Amino acid sequence: GCIMDGKLYPFGEIARTESCFRCSCRPDAMRCCSLFHTPTGYDKENCEVVFNQKSCDYDVVQKSDPSKECFVYSRV
């Protein structure tokens, strides 16, 4: 298998690792890509970015009230 962040994964396709990556584990290599997109266009003065491990994505929330989401214009 392949080891990523101290965890052993079996050979083959891995839909989601514990660190939110989709990977292909082969005897000669492990190739991965992220399942999340980083917010770039949002109100940086009033909002902050928080990683949501459950959804494997970033939430953009109001600094004054983290229970309220902010509008995101773009992600990369």
Side-chain angles (χ1 to χ4, degrees), residues 2 12 25 34 58:
C2 300
C25 173
S34 65
Y58 288 101

Side-chain angles (χ1 to χ4, degrees), residues 30-45:
M30 184 172 187
R31 293 193 168 90
C32 301
C33 61
S34 65
L35 293 171
F36 49 89
H37 297 93
T38 306
T40 56
Y42 62 94
D43 180 355
K44 291 179 175 73
E45 186 175 319

Side-chain angles (χ1 to χ4, degrees), residues 16-76:
R16 177 180 164 174
T17 67
E18 288 185 4
S19 35
C20 296
F21 287 87
R22 180 178 51 241
C23 299
S24 175
C25 173
R26 299 198 173 125
D28 61 332
M30 184 172 187
R31 293 193 168 90
C32 301
C33 61
S34 65
L35 293 171
F36 49 89
H37 297 93
T38 306
T40 56
Y42 62 94
D43 180 355
K44 291 179 175 73
E45 186 175 319
N46 297 306
C47 302
E48 64 185 345
V49 177
V50 179
F51 191 72
N52 183 328
Q53 188 71 33
K54 186 177 178 181
S55 68
C56 280
D57 206 357
Y58 288 101
D59 294 333
V60 181
V61 296
Q62 292 182 7
K63 290 179 182 178
S64 61
D65 185 356
S67 68
K68 294 182 181 175
E69 289 187 27
C70 294
F71 183 76
V72 178
Y73 301 97
S74 60
R75 294 178 183 257
V76 293

